[in-house]
Amino acid sequence: MIRRTGLILIVASLGPLAQSADLDANVAESRAAVSAFGPRLKTALQSAIQSGGPVNAIQVCNVQAPEIADSVSEDKGLHIGRTSLKLRNPGNKPDDWERQVLEDFNARLATGEDPAKMEFYEVVSSGSGQMFRYMKAIPTAQVCLACHGVDIDPAVASELDTLYPSDLARGYSVGDIRGAFTVEQNL
Ligand code: HEC
């Protein structure tokens, strides 16, 4: 009886330790994917705005963002994308888990937490087994306002209307959470 209890205790104490060591690697890989995606997109956006103005830069988000996401996903052997509670592209729609995390991010913002450092991860059960899921908040910066702000230039607004007839991703201010990067890894 005593020996059995001892054995269970050892198993119970090794389990979470082993799992948290594994998750450190998943967290690091997710952060690396976000670092490969986010700055590349922002640089492409800034240079397109500089060379041809915001109307010209729309194609960066429209065409290049999904391409960069696909190439980072392939490089890193995971899946990365972007999502939001107020969508521009309905294809970026959050699932229930992502929606809950985005709502929690807004609640954390309301308590004064810095959105630039906000992240959340969890192991969830999926149809095919266990999956590691990670999200990182994307704060709204000055450069974003040309296409997500309150006063959008009419030429930009009209191009957005054409491409995204159900666009909800306007009216943001600097410091708002525009959305999040979302990463999935099969365990
Ligand atoms: C030149 C216009 C433009 C600028 C500037 C811009 N975006 Fe966007 N954004 C878009 C377009 C267009 C889409 C839709 C992309 C797609 O079809 O996947 C988009 C989509 C997004 C999405 C995906 C969720 C959704 O609503 O579909 C996020 C998150 C996002 N933008 C964040 C930002 C942030 C943060 C900045 C500033 C660093 C920024 N954007 C600057 C045009 C822009």
Side-chain angles (χ1 to χ4, degrees), residues 114-157:
D114 179 1
K117 294 186 184 128
M118 226 178 259
E119 57 180 0
F120 181 79
Y121 55 86
E122 196 171 41
V123 174
V124 300
S125 297
S126 71
S128 51
Q130 298 275 88
M131 185 183 272
F132 175 81
R133 302 196 71 175
Y134 170 94
M135 284 175 74
K136 182 166 199 316
I138 309 175
T140 308
Q142 190 67 37
V143 62
C144 318
L145 301 184
C147 300
H148 295 294
V150 180
D151 282 324
I152 298 179
D153 181 274
V156 175

Side-chain angles (χ1 to χ4, degrees), residues 6 10-11 15 30 53 67 70 80 91 101 108 147-148 151 155 160 184:
I10 289 167
V11 172
S30 298
E67 283 175 5
D70 286 350
I80 186 166
V101 176
R108 286 162 64 178
C147 300
H148 295 294
D151 282 324
L160 291 174
E184 290 174 339

Side-chain angles (χ1 to χ4, degrees), residues 158-171:
S158 123
E159 180 70 9
L160 291 174
D161 288 342
T162 308
L163 289 168
Y164 305 94
S166 60
D167 185 18
L168 293 176
R170 303 183 197 183

Side-chain angles (χ1 to χ4, degrees), residues 41-42 45 49 53-63 65-66 82-84 86-92 138-148 156 160 163-164 167 169 178-181:
L41 184 57
K42 209 167 172 182
L45 201 55
I49 290 177
V55 175
N56 168 60
I58 289 173
Q59 54 82 26
V60 170
C61 289
N62 177 231
V63 179
R82 295 188 302 166
T83 188
S84 174
K86 283 170 58 188
L87 290 170
R88 173 149 293 164
N89 184 342
N92 296 325
I138 309 175
T140 308
Q142 190 67 37
V143 62
C144 318
L145 301 184
C147 300
H148 295 294
V156 175
L160 291 174
L163 289 168
Y164 305 94
D167 185 18
R178 173 60 268 274
F181 294 105

